[in-house]
Each structure stands twice: as C-alpha cells, then as structure tokens.
Amino acid sequence: MNDNERQFEDFVSKIKFDDTPDSDHRDKLEQDLLAAMAKQTRQEKDLRLIIWRRIMKSPIVRLTAAAVIIVGILVGIGTFSCTTAWAQITRAVNDVQNIHITETVTHGNADVREYQWWIKKPRYLKEEYTDRVIIDNGIDRLVINKAKKTAQLSDSWLPYRPLEKHYMFGTLGFFREKKPRGTEITKIAEQSDEIAIVYEIEKKDYKGKAWIEANTMLPLRIVATTAEEPKADEPISLEYTYNYEPISMETFSTSIPPGYDELPRKQREVLSGKLINKRGQVVPGATVYAVDGGAKFAASCKTDRWGEFSFKLPPDNVEPLWFPIFLRAFQEDDPSRVAWTIIRGPNEKRESGIKVPGNPGHHKILEGRGSVRFAGATGIVLETQPAGKIVGQVTDIDGNAISDAAISVTCHPVDKFGNEGDHGLEIGNLGGPGKYGAVTTQTDGEGRYEFDNLPRFWDKTVFIVGTGAQGYVYSSIRFRSEGPMNYKEVDFLLYPAGLTVKGVVMDNYGAPLAQREIYALVNGKDYTKCKTKTDEKGGFRLFGCPISQDLQIKADLSHNHWPPHERKRYLSYRYYPDVVVDIEYEEGNTEYEVEMVAERPESTIEVELKNTAGEPLPYFPVEVRGAPGTISSQWEADKKLKQRTDKNGYCKFTEVPKVEDLRLVMWGSGGVWNETLSEEQVEKIKKKYKKYKWTEVPIELIPDQKEYKIEVTILTNEEYEQKK
C-alpha cells in the first residue's frame, strides 16, 4: 500500500456515518469506498466520480455520507487529490485560537441536516453529527452515541492526529495558497470590500460562493448547490459558516451526559515482553526501543525489576501500525551486548531463510481493506547477544575535525542470498532517540563518533551511515557487512555548501524535460540531499551545492521515478541516458549556469552471427548492454534489447541509447525469451550452444551516426583456447 492509499484509507476510517438503521452499513460503505480506491489504481478513472457513484448505490448511507464528502469534492481537500499541503493548513490554523464550523446540508426531499466542529488550542476538539458526538481534550476522548444512549471514554487521539490535520479544517488554507486542481475560483469585485472578499467557486459537480475575511484570508461562509438535477434524497445544497470567537471550556467537558449509560473505558493494546541474558536471567533497568515498518510508531521504555517491558499502542488503531515490528534492547553501561527481534507479518509469503533471534511472542492483527496490520503483541522474549559497533571521524576537505556533526545509522537486513526487499525484514529504523526511532549521535570535539549496542545481523547486511553539519553538504556511506557486523570504521570528508547552479534540461530536438531529478556529484559520489526537479520548461535551480573544483551536475533521466500507481505519469515517462556536466569552478564565484542536452535513443543496430565455418547461428541470445545503471530495465524490456537471432542468425535493435560502454553480449546459455520457441526448444538450444564462448563486442559510437551493422563470429570454447 502506498502513502496516497494510506492517506485515503485514513480519511475513510474517520468519516462518521449515520448508522441509525443498521451499524453494519458504516463498515459496508467504508469497504465500498476503499474498493473504489483499489479499482482506481487499475483503471484511469476519476476517483471522485467512482466514489460518488458507489455511495449513490446505497440509499441508506448516501444521505449522511454526502454531507461529509461534499466538502472534499467542493474544495479539493487533499485526502482525495493528495495535493493539499498540510503546511498550508497549519499556517491557517495557527492564526486563530478558536474555530467553530457549522455545516448545513439540504436534500431534495427537504430534509435538512446539521453538523458542527469546534476546535480550541492547544488540544481541544468537539465533533457533532446526527448520530454521535465526539469530544477530545488531549487526554481523554468521549464518544456519545445518541441513538443507543451510550457514552464511552478512551485515551485521546490528538497526540496521533493533530488538530490541524483534521479533514474538516482543510478549508482554512484553501484561499491562501494554490487552488486545488479542477476548481475555478473567480473574485467578484463588486461584492467585495475591505472586510470580506467574495469568490465564485465552480467545480464539475457543484458551484457556489465563498466569503473570505480580507485581512486573514480565512473563510467566513461557503455555500454551494449541485450543478445537476438531484434525486429526492440527494443533497441539493450545503452551507459552511466559520466563527472564530472564543469557545467556552464547557464545550469540551467529558462528563457523561444525564440519561446515558457509560460503557467500560476502552483499553489500549500493548506490545510487551521481557529481556533476559544468555543465562536466562532477567535484565532490569535496560532501555527498550520499538519501531514499526511504516514509521508510524516509535517509542522507548525501561525494563522493570523483573526485566519486563510494555508499550501502549495508539488508541483504537487511530494510527495503524505496519509490519514488521523491530525491537532493540540494551543496558546503557554495557556497549558490548544487545537484544533484538523482528516481528514479521503473518501473511509474509517469501521466506528470508534467516533465523531471527528472540521470541516474537503472540501478536494480534487488524485485518480488512486488503491489508493486515499490527495490533499488539505479548509474550515477547529478547535475549542479549554480542553487539556490533560503528565508529569514525568527520573532517572537512582540509582535514580539520568537525564537531557536533549529526550522525545516523540505518540498516536494510537481507535474505540468505543477500537480497534486499520484500521478505518481511524491511525494518524502518533501528530504534533510537531520533525522529521515527532513528539511531543518532553527534561528533565530539575531535570529530569522532561511536555507535554501540548495534545488532550485528548477518552476512551482506546493508548499513547506511549519514552525517551533516551546519554549513556542509550532507553525506552518506553505504556498506555491506562481511559476515555479522562486529566492527566497522566509517570516516567522512564533508564539503562546504555554498554554490548555486541553475540550468535547463532539454533533448537534442529542443524539447524540455520536465519533472526530472537533478543533483550534485563530486568525484563520482552522489550528493542527493542537494537535489531538485526540473519545472515544466525543464528549468531548475540547485542550492547549497558542494564547493569543489570537481563539482558536476547530473540529470537522472534513465530511471522512471513516478510510482506505478500514478499510472498516467508513470506511462508518460520517456527514457533518456543520464546527462552529467562539469562545473567550471572559479574561486569566489558562487553562482553557475548550465545547459544539459539529452540525446534521444535513436540508434539502430543490426547484428549477424556466424560460427567460424561461416554458418549462421539461429536463435542465439544477443543482448545490448551499457555501463551499469545506464539503461533502465523498463527501457530494456520495452525496446527488446535482449533478443534471439532469427533462423538466419540475424536480429535488429532499435531506439538504442548512446551510453558509456555500449556493447553486444552473446552467450549461448543465456535465457533470453523468444515467443516462437517452446521451453523444450529453448533447452535444446542451450545445450547446443553451450560449447560457444561468452563473447562481448564493443560498439564504437560515431557522432551523428544512427545506424550500425555488426557481423560477429562466435568461437567455441575449444577454438578460443587454441587461438589463445
């Protein structure tokens, strides 16, 4: 599940539906909404229309669901378009201390419903719907069910969902920043004055007006009507009013109302266990860290006198936790020992072939919506074992020590073959005091640092150490362990930051290349923290680049950075070879300008293969290769840069890029696919051609030449040895 889908799922779970007829309808609608989301990733349809159609199929839920969802459709709240920047909303909310929003929805059958939201800084929230009232004071959360006459307390959600991220408050930043996609906003000058500005709002399904306070650009009132003739039970209009006057604290009282039955307080799930040493003795006073795979949960605690630890998880799954869960424990006065384990998801199909230490205990899961999430665990046993250590020094380019540099270390556990990726071991962080449970430290006065109590993991495990300091360009070093990681020295040389490079990226036909990643290089090392993307005209500006005579700027054009679920953008990507240009550094000059021209892949290579007797070699595997990373696997597959010769020993490659170390590779036992051959035929060909020597033929690239014809004579292994 990607971040956009998680954000949408998070939004759906917060919608308060009218479940008076049957509470099961709430779950049914949530499933319908999420099913629409899943379908959107497979089809190029407008998500808002799919959701709306699915809602309208359910006559029971459409009355109340519409009231909440219309605001998202009308003003383009980011939960649907994923374009609203929460920073914009935060700035708007920060300008006021009290907000009271009232929503009035009128349906075609004259049914009128009202919903209200109150917010008071720093941590008070009240929501009132037709069927329930929710009050959250930052400590306790009270849910009042009007229909069932029940009330139930639980722990506050606000530590996990800040006030400014509440979906209803997305409208506050609407008129301050860039308008949402698909919405037309026109100022009505004759109706505006120095107190309020009036705007006309038009969207595909709705049109209306908004009254905005001139000084703050905060909304005062928004009204809208449907653009089409609605059915009797569908909304025909809605109105939002905003009041910023002080709100009484009595509004947020969590006392049980008279006449309501109080249900038992909801208890939070836990993540608990104990820590023992190699002799089975409990270890009190140790520090325990826990982090989840989605960077949603990171916490620490101490073991008690019985060596036991316990973490409270977010209440009511308000912040769903994702597998795998990583735990690390150690005594701070003993840098040589550590205990750790990984709790993998129950549906993990791919085996890692690795034995993870400790006992993950008995864990609970939260199923539904096509995913399985972590919902607590008990009985975990962590056992101490020898720890790994990473040390090093951070200096500048003149060898001077850099003190107070921030250092972090992360890790990518691998499977038994050394592969990173989808095997259930993809931990987020190693559990530490940094953000999201990152393991961090700082350099001392001599620029030295030390990480103790690290899990050693196993052979070929990937570790990434990164550092940054004020006035210097961030740098990271990635290495693989040789066996368990017992001890490793990782030193850094930091370049001062201070150069600005602007430029444009286009192809050799003058077409601008938009939304392409640009970053700095020094001596072949990527400095991807100094990175940006080109605009629609191919322009870019890089700030804080390394001050170095060896500075280069790279346009990363050979990889499709759009995620596959953004189908339209993903398919719009066109491959080009990467472009790297040198910066002619001059001391004292801090600004540079470059033009980067990418060459379209247009070369054609015709190949004929023969043996030493002059006989053609039919169905022989031939590949076009370049230096590692220069030809994307996507382009390689799309343009069939791996082929077999035809029955006459001939094959032709088109749209071949001119890249470094371009060459043909011929190997008789290669497993190149050919749709005309059966598996049995392929195996026979492999056996027949096994006697031929692996052959590589460099392709000499000539400026302005696009067509190449190459004849290759393949030697057998025996012929090669005789000739050698």
Side-chain angles (χ1 to χ4, degrees):
M1 178 178 290
N2 58 67
D3 290 340
N4 290 347
E5 289 170 339
R6 287 178 187 170
Q7 187 182 10
F8 178 75
E9 180 174 326
D10 181 56
F11 171 78
V12 171
S13 68
K14 291 187 288 186
I15 298 176
K16 313 305 176 193
F17 302 108
D18 186 352
D19 60 358
T20 303
D22 186 347
S23 60
D24 290 340
H25 286 293
R26 172 186 170 88
D27 295 333
K28 177 65 170 63
L29 180 58
E30 289 185 6
Q31 295 296 331
D32 283 347
L33 289 171
L34 290 158
M37 177 68 182
K39 183 175 287 188
Q40 166 67 5
T41 62
R42 299 189 298 268
Q43 301 177 6
E44 294 185 57
K45 293 185 177 181
D46 188 288
L47 176 59
R48 295 184 299 274
L49 294 179
I50 294 174
I51 293 170
W52 192 252
R53 291 189 189 115
R54 283 182 172 259
I55 290 172
M56 288 303 110
K57 288 180 180 178
S58 175
I60 294 177
V61 300
R62 60 188 175 197
L63 291 172
T64 52
V68 180
I69 295 179
I70 285 173
V71 68
I73 297 175
L74 173 65
V75 300
I77 290 177
T79 44
F80 284 95
S81 65
C82 298
T83 57
T84 298
W86 286 119
Q88 300 170 10
I89 300 169
T90 301
R91 288 196 295 272
V93 175
N94 284 342
D95 288 344
V96 292
Q97 297 297 313
N98 301 269
I99 310 167
H100 178 200
I101 301 177
T102 301
E103 175 190 36
T104 305
V105 182
T106 303
H107 297 79
N109 58 6
D111 179 41
V112 178
R113 298 198 179 190
E114 185 176 274
Y115 308 86
Q116 297 187 77
W117 297 264
W118 294 261
I119 182 173
K120 186 180 183 68
K121 291 187 178 178
R123 61 176 191 276
Y124 300 97
L125 174 68
K126 180 177 179 179
E127 307 168 273
E128 184 164 348
Y129 304 93
T130 56
D131 64 329
R132 70 193 67 194
V133 177
I134 299 171
I135 301 171
D136 197 320
N137 63 15
I139 299 174
D140 296 315
R141 179 181 179 87
L142 176 66
V143 178
I144 300 170
N145 190 310
K146 296 179 181 179
K148 297 179 180 179
K149 289 289 185 176
T150 60
Q152 187 174 36
L153 285 164
S154 65
D155 289 351
S156 171
W157 285 19
L158 293 182
Y160 306 93
R161 289 184 181 168
L163 292 174
E164 63 270 17
K165 288 194 175 183
H166 191 285
Y167 64 92
M168 273 308 303
F169 300 108
T171 55
L172 296 184
F174 178 56
F175 293 91
R176 292 183 159 209
E177 305 286 350
K178 183 179 178 181
K179 70 177 183 180
R181 187 169 47 196
T183 304
E184 293 296 326
I185 303 175
T186 306
K187 180 179 177 180
I188 307 175
E190 60 272 19
Q191 297 182 25
S192 303
D193 55 32
E194 66 276 5
I195 298 175
I197 303 173
V198 183
Y199 292 94
E200 184 177 66
I201 306 172
E202 188 168 350
K203 207 170 173 68
K204 182 176 181 180
D205 301 309
Y206 295 89
K207 60 182 178 180
K209 284 185 179 181
W211 287 259
I212 308 301
E213 190 173 33
N215 290 333
T216 64
M217 293 304 292
L218 290 169
L220 299 172
R221 181 175 175 235
I222 298 175
V223 297
T225 57
T226 58
E228 299 178 356
E229 187 67 27
K231 296 180 181 179
D233 55 355
E234 293 179 357
I236 60 173
S237 68
L238 57 86
E239 177 181 8
Y240 295 94
T241 60
Y242 300 80
N243 190 319
Y244 304 100
E245 295 298 319
I247 301 172
S248 169
M249 289 300 298
E250 294 181 4
T251 304
F252 306 101
S253 171
T254 54
S255 299
I256 307 300
Y260 280 75
D261 294 328
E262 183 177 2
L263 301 178
R265 185 183 182 98
K266 280 190 176 181
Q267 299 300 314
R268 292 162 65 173
E269 296 290 352
V270 298
L271 174 65
S272 64
K274 67 178 179 179
L275 173 63
I276 61 174
N277 60 26
K278 63 180 180 180
R279 294 183 295 275
Q281 299 168 326
V282 299
V283 182
T287 300
V288 185
Y289 286 102
V291 294
D292 81 313
K296 298 289 186 180
F297 178 79
S300 66
C301 70
K302 293 281 189 179
T303 56
D304 61 19
R305 58 186 295 187
W306 297 283
E308 296 180 348
F309 61 87
S310 182
F311 297 94
K312 281 189 175 183
L313 301 185
D316 291 337
N317 297 298
V318 61
E319 196 66 83
L321 307 189
W322 299 91
F323 288 101
I325 307 297
F326 182 75
L327 293 105
R328 181 172 73 109
F330 55 89
Q331 290 178 291
E332 296 187 10
D333 59 354
D334 183 3
S336 66
R337 309 288 294 179
V338 68
W340 62 277
T341 195
I342 300 175
I343 303 176
R344 302 175 75 209
N347 292 345
E348 184 56 55
K349 296 179 180 178
R350 180 178 167 188
E351 285 298 327
S352 65
I354 297 294
K355 180 174 174 56
V356 176
N359 183 341
H362 308 284
H363 58 266
K364 298 180 181 180
I365 60 174
L366 182 65
E367 293 187 277
R369 305 167 187 168
S371 65
V372 177
R373 291 167 289 179
F374 179 76
T378 57
I380 299 168
V381 179
L382 303 178
E383 182 177 339
T384 61
Q385 58 180 247
K389 174 181 286 192
I390 297 176
V391 301
Q393 186 179 30
V394 181
T395 61
D396 63 18
I397 56 176
D398 297 319
N400 300 311
I402 300 177
S403 60
D404 298 323
I407 310 284
S408 65
V409 58
T410 57
C411 176
H412 296 168
V414 297
D415 64 16
K416 64 180 179 180
F417 303 108
N419 299 316
E420 302 174 59
D422 188 20
H423 44 54
L425 301 175
E426 305 84 0
I427 61 176
N429 279 309
L430 290 171
K435 190 175 182 180
Y436 305 125
V439 177
T440 59
T441 189
Q442 286 187 312
T443 56
D444 61 18
E446 296 180 349
R448 300 190 180 278
Y449 71 91
E450 184 173 303
F451 287 113
D452 297 314
N453 304 113
L454 295 178
R456 299 186 305 161
F457 292 103
W458 40 80
D459 189 36
K460 296 184 176 62
T461 295
V462 176
F463 289 86
I464 303 101
V465 185
T467 183
Q470 184 69 30
Y472 293 89
V473 181
Y474 178 90
S475 179
S476 64
I477 293 176
R478 173 188 174 105
F479 69 90
R480 283 184 180 265
S481 64
E482 298 178 3
M485 196 282 296
N486 295 308
Y487 179 85
K488 182 72 175 180
E489 292 187 17
V490 181
D491 295 329
F492 289 90
L493 185 151
L494 297 188
Y495 287 92
L499 300 186
T500 299
V501 181
K502 68 176 182 178
V504 64
V505 183
M506 63 182 69
D507 70 12
N508 52 327
Y509 289 88
L513 301 184
Q515 297 298 306
R516 301 302 183 111
E517 291 193 352
I518 311 294
Y519 54 86
L521 291 173
V522 176
N523 295 324
K525 177 178 173 58
D526 299 346
Y527 285 86
T528 53
K529 290 290 184 179
C530 181
K531 180 170 68 174
T532 188
K533 280 190 175 183
T534 56
D535 59 25
E536 294 307 310
K537 295 182 179 180
F540 68 89
R541 186 181 290 268
L542 274 177
F543 298 97
C545 293
I547 299 176
S548 170
Q549 293 182 347
D550 300 311
L551 176 63
Q552 296 176 309
I553 303 300
K554 179 176 180 178
D556 188 350
L557 311 176
S558 62
H559 296 89
N560 190 349
H561 295 284
W562 293 114
H565 71 268
E566 294 190 36
R567 184 173 176 78
K568 188 174 181 180
R569 285 177 164 177
Y570 183 79
L571 294 177
S572 70
Y573 164 79
R574 179 181 175 85
Y575 164 87
Y576 289 86
D578 296 336
V579 178
V580 178
V581 297
D582 296 330
I583 299 299
E584 301 295 332
Y585 175 72
E586 298 176 359
E587 190 171 351
N589 184 15
T590 60
E591 295 194 5
Y592 298 85
E593 188 168 356
V594 297
E595 183 178 281
M596 308 181 77
V597 180
E599 189 169 352
R600 288 187 187 178
E602 296 179 303
S603 296
T604 298
I605 302 175
E606 297 181 74
V607 182
E608 288 187 21
L609 295 190
K610 297 179 180 180
N611 60 21
T612 53
E615 300 168 334
L617 295 174
Y619 307 115
F620 203 98
V622 184
E623 300 179 31
V624 175
R625 294 188 183 181
T630 57
I631 303 177
S632 74
S633 57
Q634 180 182 345
W635 191 258
E636 178 186 86
D638 290 346
K639 303 306 173 184
K640 297 182 178 180
L641 299 186
K642 293 182 179 181
Q643 297 184 26
R644 288 182 182 269
T645 57
D646 62 16
K647 62 181 180 180
N648 299 314
Y650 170 86
C651 63
K652 181 178 181 179
F653 299 95
T654 60
E655 296 185 78
V656 177
K658 291 185 175 181
V659 297
E660 179 186 355
D661 195 22
L662 188 65
R663 64 197 188 279
L664 296 175
V665 175
M666 281 81 43
W667 181 41
S669 298
V672 176
W673 168 254
N674 185 295
E675 60 272 11
T676 65
L677 301 176
S678 66
E679 290 185 14
E680 184 179 352
Q681 288 174 315
V682 169
E683 289 303 315
K684 287 182 179 180
I685 291 171
K686 280 185 178 181
K687 290 180 181 179
K688 177 182 177 181
Y689 288 155
K690 187 176 181 180
K691 65 181 180 180
Y692 286 99
K693 176 69 177 173
W694 172 293
T695 304
E696 294 192 14
V697 177
I699 300 173
E700 184 180 351
L701 297 173
I702 301 172
D704 300 325
Q705 181 173 325
K706 295 182 179 180
E707 296 183 356
Y708 298 82
K709 293 185 178 181
I710 300 175
E711 294 183 2
V712 182
T713 300
I714 307 293
L715 304 179
T716 64
N717 290 307
E718 183 179 349
E719 290 170 336
Y720 175 78
E721 291 298 326
Q722 291 175 352
K723 190 173 182 179
K724 187 172 67 171

